[in-house]
């Protein structure tokens, strides 16, 4: 199977996964969703609140380390085999322009049909424009879930920002893919500028075998000269098919995106002579020594260990997810004393912000670790639907003389436990706060009133 067919299969698989993932939900949660509208984060079908965005740095570190690892191992394999820019260019250039509208025979063929070329060109751009809008919408589905997106689609006037983002990104894709083309890879993409710093002699690259094919000097192709003492016949099929317009025979170059179109083209020519392609996907060390590519080496192992460490940390932090959120704030009044003859009651007021981050409705109850203090308010359970939040005023009260302190108010550390009455073991959180007990002079003053 040619590299081109392998790449097309990879492109199709990536496209299907990317389009399908936003529609797959488990217990109402997406594989990945960062929703600013609903203020929630879904990772691996687990729901997190925006207050749990501390997980994002772990994801970003894993993402960037994976890019470094992939580059060290396979060079610019991302560029040729996974990058959306490359996939879109293959769709527009190879499928629409070459196969369907017959605008060109191959990537560098300058011959264009003399008949109806402007119409064919316009139709190819128009069809890709539809693809661009689907791609832009697909990107938004990871931030605005499809179940909301298609509802918003029915009222564009009320969601101008959303449609402005989709339209803007789609227009950028049309300009980039249809007009900027491979110049984006050559001049714009920053990845091409930093990738070489991560290469070593065992990094897999697209390499022309000078020992078999012969050496090509600068300017040789322009002068029509063949390589010196080698099997290369100078057909320049590898040059004609290159999307970034380089001559791979002159060695590794910044513009090469590892698409291996040149290897397929050379294999087709050399195959007629019963010889393998002069261009292979291997490492410089492997080509020089004839040994297998050394995939497991210090750099790659180090990256794998670090990535695994962050993945374990992310998994551990994910297990600490709470199925409800509870924020407790004290009111500005330290305490309130209620006197009834010789009996006194001391009350502290709090504001609870409760959010149900689980995927189903729960009713919550509260308890204290201090038996001498009780809840005056609320008396009943607090019921919240999935994803709902509510702010309530809570009053704690004690009827006992907790502390005999004549000079200072005394703050007491207490622990408040909130549980879902239907699943008390699974949905449970503890929060620490303080109950302030007044000094004796304040109690005596209240009793005299």
């Amino acid at each position: 199977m040619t590299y081109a067919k392998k790449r097309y299969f990879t492109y199709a698989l990536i496209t299907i996964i990317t389009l399908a993932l936003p529609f797959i939900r488990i217990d109402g949660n997406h594989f990945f969703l960062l929703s600013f509208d609903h203020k929630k984060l879904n990772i691996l079908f687990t729901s997190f609140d925006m207050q749990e965005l501390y997980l994002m740095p772990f994801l970003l570190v894993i993402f960037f380390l994976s890019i470094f690892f992939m580059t060290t191992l396979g060079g610019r394999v991302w560029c040729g085999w996974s990058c959306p820019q490359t996939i879109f260019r293959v769709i527009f250039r190879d499928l629409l322009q070459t196969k369907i509208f017959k605008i060109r025979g191959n990537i560098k063929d300058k011959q264009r049909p003399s008949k109806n070329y402007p119409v064919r060109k316009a139709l190819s751009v128009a069809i890709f424009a539809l693809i661009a809008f689907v791609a832009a919408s697909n990107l938004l589905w990871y931030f605005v879930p499809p179940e909301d997106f298609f509802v918003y689609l029915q009222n564009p006037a009320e969601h101008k920002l959303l449609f402005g983002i989709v339209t803007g990104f789609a227009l950028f894709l049309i300009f980039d893919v249809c007009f900027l083309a491979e110049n984006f890879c050559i001049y714009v993409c920053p990845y091409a500028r930093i990738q070489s710093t991560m290469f070593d002699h065992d990094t897999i690259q697209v390499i022309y075998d000078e020992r078999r094919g012969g050496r090509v000097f600068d300017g040789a192709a322009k002068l029509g000269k063949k390589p010196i003492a080698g099997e290369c016949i100078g057909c320049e099929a590898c040059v004609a098919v290159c999307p970034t317009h380089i001559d791979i025979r002159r060695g590794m170059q910044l513009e090469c995106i590892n698409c291996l179109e040149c290897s397929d083209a050379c294999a087709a020519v050399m195959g007629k002579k019963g010889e393998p392609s002069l261009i292979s996907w291997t490492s410089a060390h492997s080509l020089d020594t004839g040994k297998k590519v050394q995939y497991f080496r210090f750099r790659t192992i180090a990256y794998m260990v670090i990535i695994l460490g962050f993945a374990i940390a992310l998994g551990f932090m994910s297990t600490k997810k709470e199925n409800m959120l509870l924020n407790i704030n004290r009111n500005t009044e330290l305490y309130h004393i209620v006197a009834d003859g010789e009996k006194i009651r001391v009350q502290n007021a709090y504001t609870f912000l409760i959010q149900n981050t689980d995927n189903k409705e729960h009713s919550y109850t509260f308890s204290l670790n201090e038996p001498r203090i009780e809840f005056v308010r609320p008396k009943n359970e607090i019921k919240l639907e999935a994803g709902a939040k509510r702010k309530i005023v809570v009053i704690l009260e004690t009827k006992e003389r907790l502390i005999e302190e004549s000079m200072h108010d005394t703050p007491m550390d207490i622990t408040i436990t909130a549980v879902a009455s239907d699943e008390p073991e699974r949905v449970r959180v503890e929060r620490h706060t303080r109950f302030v007990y007044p000094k004796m002079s304040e109690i005596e003053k209240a009793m005299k009133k």
Side-chain angles (χ1 to χ4, degrees), residues 101-387:
F101 293 104
K102 311 295 183 183
I103 290 178
R104 60 177 96 192
N106 60 53
I107 293 173
K108 287 200 69 177
D109 189 355
K110 299 300 182 182
Q111 296 178 352
R112 294 171 174 173
S114 56
K115 190 176 182 180
N116 297 328
Y117 169 75
V119 176
R120 298 185 188 194
K121 174 73 172 179
L123 285 173
S124 65
V125 173
I127 293 175
F128 183 79
L130 297 177
I131 297 173
F133 274 95
V134 173
S137 300
N138 186 201
L139 174 64
L140 262 293
W141 293 339
Y142 290 92
F143 300 90
V144 180
E147 57 268 24
D148 291 343
F149 183 87
F150 290 108
V151 173
Y152 297 160
L153 197 65
Q154 301 172 21
N155 299 288
E158 297 180 9
H159 304 282
K160 296 177 181 178
L161 178 61
L162 174 68
F163 286 92
I165 293 174
V166 172
T167 303
F169 187 68
L171 291 175
F172 169 76
L173 277 181
I174 295 168
F175 169 74
D176 174 29
V177 175
C178 300
F179 303 100
L180 191 58
E182 279 75 23
N183 288 324
F184 179 89
C185 305
I186 299 172
Y187 301 111
V188 180
C189 180
Y191 181 44
R193 301 296 181 268
I194 64 171
Q195 49 130 0
S196 59
T197 62
M198 290 175 270
F199 286 6
D200 58 31
H201 289 298
D202 289 295
T203 298
I204 301 173
Q205 304 174 51
V206 180
I207 302 177
Y208 168 75
D209 190 351
E210 287 187 354
R211 293 179 301 180
R212 286 183 55 213
R215 188 176 179 186
V216 175
F217 294 95
D218 290 348
K222 294 181 179 179
L223 296 174
K225 295 181 180 179
K226 296 180 180 180
I228 295 176
E231 299 176 29
C232 179
I233 62 174
C235 67
E236 296 194 1
C238 58
V239 180
V241 80
C242 179
T244 55
H245 319 310
I246 65 172
D247 186 345
I248 194 63
R249 299 174 300 171
R250 295 171 57 189
M252 180 60 191
Q253 295 158 67
L254 186 68
E255 296 84 358
C256 178
I257 62 172
N258 280 26
C259 68
L260 293 156
E261 292 278 1
C262 54
S263 180
D264 286 341
C266 186
V269 174
M270 297 300 294
K272 296 176 182 179
K273 300 171 58 179
E275 298 290 340
S277 175
L278 298 171
I279 303 168
S280 56
W281 199 18
T282 185
S283 69
H285 183 260
S286 177
L287 190 65
D288 291 340
T289 61
K291 298 179 180 179
K292 292 183 178 180
V293 176
Q294 187 177 355
Y295 296 106
F296 297 100
R297 51 193 189 273
F298 176 77
R299 277 194 181 187
T300 57
I301 293 174
Y303 277 126
M304 287 189 289
V305 169
I306 297 173
I307 291 171
L308 179 62
F310 275 96
I312 292 173
L314 175 62
F316 176 77
M317 297 298 292
S318 298
T319 62
K320 297 298 182 180
K321 169 186 162 46
E322 297 176 333
N323 291 306
M324 71 169 292
L325 295 179
L326 175 62
N327 290 333
I328 298 177
N329 295 307
R330 288 185 52 85
N331 287 5
T332 54
E333 184 182 28
L334 287 179
Y335 47 76
H336 177 63
I337 303 173
V338 180
D340 184 12
E342 293 296 322
K343 298 180 180 180
I344 60 102
R345 290 177 289 137
V346 177
Q347 298 178 343
N348 280 204
Y350 306 81
T351 300
F352 284 16
L353 178 61
I354 312 167
Q355 182 172 2
N356 179 4
T357 58
D358 206 3
N359 53 19
K360 61 180 180 180
E361 181 181 87
H362 288 297
S363 295
Y364 302 100
T365 60
F366 305 95
S367 61
L368 279 165
N369 66 331
E370 173 55 71
R372 296 174 295 174
I373 304 174
E374 60 184 10
F375 281 88
V376 175
R377 179 179 178 183
K379 289 291 187 182
N380 301 319
E381 295 182 344
I382 304 299
K383 183 179 291 186
L384 288 177
E385 296 180 354

Side-chain angles (χ1 to χ4, degrees), residues 87-103:
I87 296 175
F88 289 137
R89 277 296 295 167
V90 167
I91 292 173
F92 179 72
R93 180 193 64 219
D94 297 351
L95 179 60
L96 295 178
Q97 289 193 306
T98 303
K99 297 293 184 183
I100 297 178
F101 293 104
K102 311 295 183 183
I103 290 178

